[in-house]
C-alpha cells in the first residue's frame, strides 16, 4: 500500500485522536481508505513507524 500512498491521500489529515486510534487498530480492521492514509503518513513520516 505504501506504493499507492501519495500526497493526495494526505488531503484529509486526521486529528491526533483519530490518528492514534488508526495506528492502534489491527491493519485488517482498517477500511481501504484508512489503510492508504496510514501508509501515506508512514511513508512520509518514518519516525512514526519507529515510535
Amino acid at each position: 500500500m505504501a506504493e499507492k500512498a501519495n500526497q493526495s491521500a494526505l488531503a484529509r489529515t486526521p486529528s491526533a485522536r483519530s490518528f492514534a486510534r488508526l495506528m492502534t487498530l489491527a491493519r485488517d480492521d482498517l477500511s481501504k481508505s484508512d489503510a492508504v492514509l496510514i501508509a501515506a503518513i508512514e511513508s512520509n513520516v518514518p519516525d512514526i513507524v519507529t515510535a
Side-chain angles (χ1 to χ4, degrees), residues 1 5 8-10 15-16 21-24 26-27 31-33 35 37-38 45 49:
M1 279 195 194
S8 65
L10 294 176
S15 67
R21 183 185 59 80
L22 289 173
M23 290 298 290
T24 57
R27 298 300 164 121
S31 68
K32 186 175 181 179
S33 63
L37 177 65
I38 292 300
V45 187
V49 177

PDB file of all heavy atoms in Angstrom, residues 1 5 8-10 15-16 21-24 26-27 31-33 35 37-38 45 49:
ATOM      1  N   MET A   1       0.814  -1.199   0.000  1.00  0.00           N
ATOM      2  CA  MET A   1       0.000   0.000   0.000  1.00  0.00           C
ATOM      3  C   MET A   1       0.854   1.258   0.000  1.00  0.00           C
ATOM      4  O   MET A   1       0.369   2.308  -0.396  1.00  0.00           O
ATOM      5  CB  MET A   1      -0.895   0.015   1.226  1.00  0.00           C
ATOM      6  CG  MET A   1      -2.109  -0.815   1.050  1.00  0.00           C
ATOM      7  SD  MET A   1      -3.298  -0.418   2.291  1.00  0.00           S
ATOM      8  CE  MET A   1      -4.317  -1.824   2.042  1.00  0.00           C
ATOM      9  N   ALA A   5       0.366   5.123  -1.787  1.00  0.00           N
ATOM     10  CA  ALA A   5       0.235   6.307  -0.955  1.00  0.00           C
ATOM     11  C   ALA A   5       0.943   7.479  -1.618  1.00  0.00           C
ATOM     12  O   ALA A   5       2.087   7.392  -2.006  1.00  0.00           O
ATOM     13  CB  ALA A   5       0.843   6.040   0.415  1.00  0.00           C
ATOM     14  N   SER A   8      -2.011  13.038  -2.439  1.00  0.00           N
ATOM     15  CA  SER A   8      -3.467  13.183  -2.472  1.00  0.00           C
ATOM     16  C   SER A   8      -4.125  12.385  -1.357  1.00  0.00           C
ATOM     17  O   SER A   8      -5.201  12.730  -0.886  1.00  0.00           O
ATOM     18  CB  SER A   8      -4.027  12.761  -3.829  1.00  0.00           C
ATOM     19  OG  SER A   8      -3.816  11.378  -4.031  1.00  0.00           O
ATOM     20  N   ALA A   9      -3.472  11.336  -0.904  1.00  0.00           N
ATOM     21  CA  ALA A   9      -4.008  10.555   0.207  1.00  0.00           C
ATOM     22  C   ALA A   9      -3.939  11.343   1.503  1.00  0.00           C
ATOM     23  O   ALA A   9      -4.671  11.062   2.444  1.00  0.00           O
ATOM     24  CB  ALA A   9      -3.249   9.246   0.351  1.00  0.00           C
ATOM     25  N   LEU A  10      -3.076  12.336   1.540  1.00  0.00           N
ATOM     26  CA  LEU A  10      -2.960  13.159   2.740  1.00  0.00           C
ATOM     27  C   LEU A  10      -3.859  14.386   2.684  1.00  0.00           C
ATOM     28  O   LEU A  10      -3.725  15.279   3.502  1.00  0.00           O
ATOM     29  CB  LEU A  10      -1.496  13.598   2.927  1.00  0.00           C
ATOM     30  CG  LEU A  10      -0.521  12.468   3.225  1.00  0.00           C
ATOM     31  CD1 LEU A  10       0.901  13.019   3.296  1.00  0.00           C
ATOM     32  CD2 LEU A  10      -0.872  11.771   4.505  1.00  0.00           C
ATOM     33  N   SER A  15      -7.306  14.015  12.897  1.00  0.00           N
ATOM     34  CA  SER A  15      -6.937  14.634  14.171  1.00  0.00           C
ATOM     35  C   SER A  15      -5.974  13.707  14.900  1.00  0.00           C
ATOM     36  O   SER A  15      -5.824  12.536  14.550  1.00  0.00           O
ATOM     37  CB  SER A  15      -8.181  14.866  15.023  1.00  0.00           C
ATOM     38  OG  SER A  15      -8.729  13.612  15.422  1.00  0.00           O
ATOM     39  N   ALA A  16      -5.329  14.218  15.928  1.00  0.00           N
ATOM     40  CA  ALA A  16      -4.388  13.407  16.692  1.00  0.00           C
ATOM     41  C   ALA A  16      -5.091  12.211  17.315  1.00  0.00           C
ATOM     42  O   ALA A  16      -4.560  11.094  17.333  1.00  0.00           O
ATOM     43  CB  ALA A  16      -3.720  14.252  17.775  1.00  0.00           C
ATOM     44  N   ARG A  21      -5.988   6.305  17.142  1.00  0.00           N
ATOM     45  CA  ARG A  21      -6.895   5.163  17.036  1.00  0.00           C
ATOM     46  C   ARG A  21      -6.563   4.317  15.811  1.00  0.00           C
ATOM     47  O   ARG A  21      -6.489   3.093  15.885  1.00  0.00           O
ATOM     48  CB  ARG A  21      -8.350   5.635  16.965  1.00  0.00           C
ATOM     49  CG  ARG A  21      -9.354   4.481  16.921  1.00  0.00           C
ATOM     50  CD  ARG A  21     -10.768   4.975  16.732  1.00  0.00           C
ATOM     51  NE  ARG A  21     -10.949   5.741  15.518  1.00  0.00           N
ATOM     52  CZ  ARG A  21     -11.098   5.222  14.303  1.00  0.00           C
ATOM     53  NH1 ARG A  21     -11.079   3.927  14.126  1.00  0.00           N
ATOM     54  NH2 ARG A  21     -11.267   5.988  13.249  1.00  0.00           N
ATOM     55  N   LEU A  22      -6.309   4.971  14.691  1.00  0.00           N
ATOM     56  CA  LEU A  22      -5.981   4.239  13.463  1.00  0.00           C
ATOM     57  C   LEU A  22      -4.668   3.474  13.606  1.00  0.00           C
ATOM     58  O   LEU A  22      -4.532   2.358  13.102  1.00  0.00           O
ATOM     59  CB  LEU A  22      -5.886   5.204  12.277  1.00  0.00           C
ATOM     60  CG  LEU A  22      -7.196   5.809  11.795  1.00  0.00           C
ATOM     61  CD1 LEU A  22      -6.921   6.875  10.742  1.00  0.00           C
ATOM     62  CD2 LEU A  22      -8.129   4.756  11.265  1.00  0.00           C
ATOM     63  N   MET A  23      -3.704   4.060  14.287  1.00  0.00           N
ATOM     64  CA  MET A  23      -2.405   3.407  14.448  1.00  0.00           C
ATOM     65  C   MET A  23      -2.469   2.213  15.393  1.00  0.00           C
ATOM     66  O   MET A  23      -1.645   1.315  15.309  1.00  0.00           O
ATOM     67  CB  MET A  23      -1.361   4.404  14.967  1.00  0.00           C
ATOM     68  CG  MET A  23      -0.960   5.447  13.952  1.00  0.00           C
ATOM     69  SD  MET A  23      -0.179   4.769  12.477  1.00  0.00           S
ATOM     70  CE  MET A  23       1.385   4.228  13.147  1.00  0.00           C
ATOM     71  N   THR A  24      -3.448   2.182  16.297  1.00  0.00           N
ATOM     72  CA  THR A  24      -3.529   1.091  17.257  1.00  0.00           C
ATOM     73  C   THR A  24      -4.483  -0.019  16.826  1.00  0.00           C
ATOM     74  O   THR A  24      -4.479  -1.084  17.439  1.00  0.00           O
ATOM     75  CB  THR A  24      -3.930   1.601  18.654  1.00  0.00           C
ATOM     76  OG1 THR A  24      -5.181   2.286  18.561  1.00  0.00           O
ATOM     77  CG2 THR A  24      -2.876   2.539  19.219  1.00  0.00           C
ATOM     78  N   ALA A  26      -5.830  -3.061  14.468  1.00  0.00           N
ATOM     79  CA  ALA A  26      -5.208  -4.076  13.619  1.00  0.00           C
ATOM     80  C   ALA A  26      -5.389  -3.660  12.160  1.00  0.00           C
ATOM     81  O   ALA A  26      -6.441  -3.144  11.776  1.00  0.00           O
ATOM     82  CB  ALA A  26      -5.857  -5.435  13.861  1.00  0.00           C
ATOM     83  N   ARG A  27      -4.373  -3.858  11.373  1.00  0.00           N
ATOM     84  CA  ARG A  27      -4.418  -3.426   9.961  1.00  0.00           C
ATOM     85  C   ARG A  27      -5.568  -4.086   9.205  1.00  0.00           C
ATOM     86  O   ARG A  27      -6.123  -3.494   8.293  1.00  0.00           O
ATOM     87  CB  ARG A  27      -3.092  -3.729   9.259  1.00  0.00           C
ATOM     88  CG  ARG A  27      -1.907  -3.003   9.855  1.00  0.00           C
ATOM     89  CD  ARG A  27      -2.113  -1.504   9.777  1.00  0.00           C
ATOM     90  NE  ARG A  27      -1.210  -0.791  10.649  1.00  0.00           N
ATOM     91  CZ  ARG A  27      -0.341   0.109  10.237  1.00  0.00           C
ATOM     92  NH1 ARG A  27      -0.250   0.398   8.969  1.00  0.00           N
ATOM     93  NH2 ARG A  27       0.416   0.723  11.102  1.00  0.00           N
ATOM     94  N   SER A  31     -10.416   0.327   7.112  1.00  0.00           N
ATOM     95  CA  SER A  31     -11.024   0.417   5.785  1.00  0.00           C
ATOM     96  C   SER A  31      -9.902   0.663   4.778  1.00  0.00           C
ATOM     97  O   SER A  31      -8.777   1.026   5.145  1.00  0.00           O
ATOM     98  CB  SER A  31     -12.031   1.570   5.741  1.00  0.00           C
ATOM     99  OG  SER A  31     -11.359   2.815   5.835  1.00  0.00           O
ATOM    100  N   LYS A  32     -10.207   0.482   3.525  1.00  0.00           N
ATOM    101  CA  LYS A  32      -9.189   0.659   2.490  1.00  0.00           C
ATOM    102  C   LYS A  32      -8.650   2.093   2.500  1.00  0.00           C
ATOM    103  O   LYS A  32      -7.445   2.303   2.422  1.00  0.00           O
ATOM    104  CB  LYS A  32      -9.768   0.322   1.119  1.00  0.00           C
ATOM    105  CG  LYS A  32      -8.752   0.350   0.020  1.00  0.00           C
ATOM    106  CD  LYS A  32      -9.341  -0.108  -1.295  1.00  0.00           C
ATOM    107  CE  LYS A  32      -8.291  -0.100  -2.376  1.00  0.00           C
ATOM    108  NZ  LYS A  32      -8.820  -0.568  -3.651  1.00  0.00           N
ATOM    109  N   SER A  33      -9.535   3.062   2.632  1.00  0.00           N
ATOM    110  CA  SER A  33      -9.089   4.463   2.626  1.00  0.00           C
ATOM    111  C   SER A  33      -8.244   4.780   3.854  1.00  0.00           C
ATOM    112  O   SER A  33      -7.259   5.507   3.762  1.00  0.00           O
ATOM    113  CB  SER A  33     -10.284   5.409   2.528  1.00  0.00           C
ATOM    114  OG  SER A  33     -11.123   5.273   3.657  1.00  0.00           O
ATOM    115  N   ALA A  35      -6.395   2.600   5.512  1.00  0.00           N
ATOM    116  CA  ALA A  35      -5.127   1.899   5.321  1.00  0.00           C
ATOM    117  C   ALA A  35      -4.204   2.683   4.394  1.00  0.00           C
ATOM    118  O   ALA A  35      -2.999   2.788   4.646  1.00  0.00           O
ATOM    119  CB  ALA A  35      -5.371   0.502   4.777  1.00  0.00           C
ATOM    120  N   LEU A  37      -4.331   5.931   3.925  1.00  0.00           N
ATOM    121  CA  LEU A  37      -3.963   7.126   4.675  1.00  0.00           C
ATOM    122  C   LEU A  37      -2.814   6.825   5.631  1.00  0.00           C
ATOM    123  O   LEU A  37      -1.821   7.558   5.672  1.00  0.00           O
ATOM    124  CB  LEU A  37      -5.173   7.665   5.451  1.00  0.00           C
ATOM    125  CG  LEU A  37      -4.906   8.864   6.342  1.00  0.00           C
ATOM    126  CD1 LEU A  37      -4.516  10.076   5.509  1.00  0.00           C
ATOM    127  CD2 LEU A  37      -6.126   9.167   7.191  1.00  0.00           C
ATOM    128  N   ILE A  38      -2.913   5.744   6.383  1.00  0.00           N
ATOM    129  CA  ILE A  38      -1.849   5.372   7.312  1.00  0.00           C
ATOM    130  C   ILE A  38      -0.557   5.053   6.548  1.00  0.00           C
ATOM    131  O   ILE A  38       0.524   5.459   6.968  1.00  0.00           O
ATOM    132  CB  ILE A  38      -2.285   4.177   8.187  1.00  0.00           C
ATOM    133  CG1 ILE A  38      -3.399   4.606   9.139  1.00  0.00           C
ATOM    134  CG2 ILE A  38      -1.110   3.598   8.959  1.00  0.00           C
ATOM    135  CD1 ILE A  38      -3.025   5.717  10.096  1.00  0.00           C
ATOM    136  N   VAL A  45       6.471  10.179   7.023  1.00  0.00           N
ATOM    137  CA  VAL A  45       6.985  10.480   8.354  1.00  0.00           C
ATOM    138  C   VAL A  45       7.513   9.173   8.962  1.00  0.00           C
ATOM    139  O   VAL A  45       6.850   8.558   9.795  1.00  0.00           O
ATOM    140  CB  VAL A  45       5.880  11.096   9.252  1.00  0.00           C
ATOM    141  CG1 VAL A  45       6.465  11.575  10.571  1.00  0.00           C
ATOM    142  CG2 VAL A  45       5.132  12.204   8.545  1.00  0.00           C
ATOM    143  N   VAL A  49       6.751   5.301  12.421  1.00  0.00           N
ATOM    144  CA  VAL A  49       6.899   3.851  12.464  1.00  0.00           C
ATOM    145  C   VAL A  49       7.801   3.468  13.628  1.00  0.00           C
ATOM    146  O   VAL A  49       7.517   2.510  14.357  1.00  0.00           O
ATOM    147  CB  VAL A  49       7.468   3.317  11.129  1.00  0.00           C
ATOM    148  CG1 VAL A  49       7.690   1.826  11.192  1.00  0.00           C
ATOM    149  CG2 VAL A  49       6.535   3.679   9.988  1.00  0.00           C
TER     150      VAL A  49
END
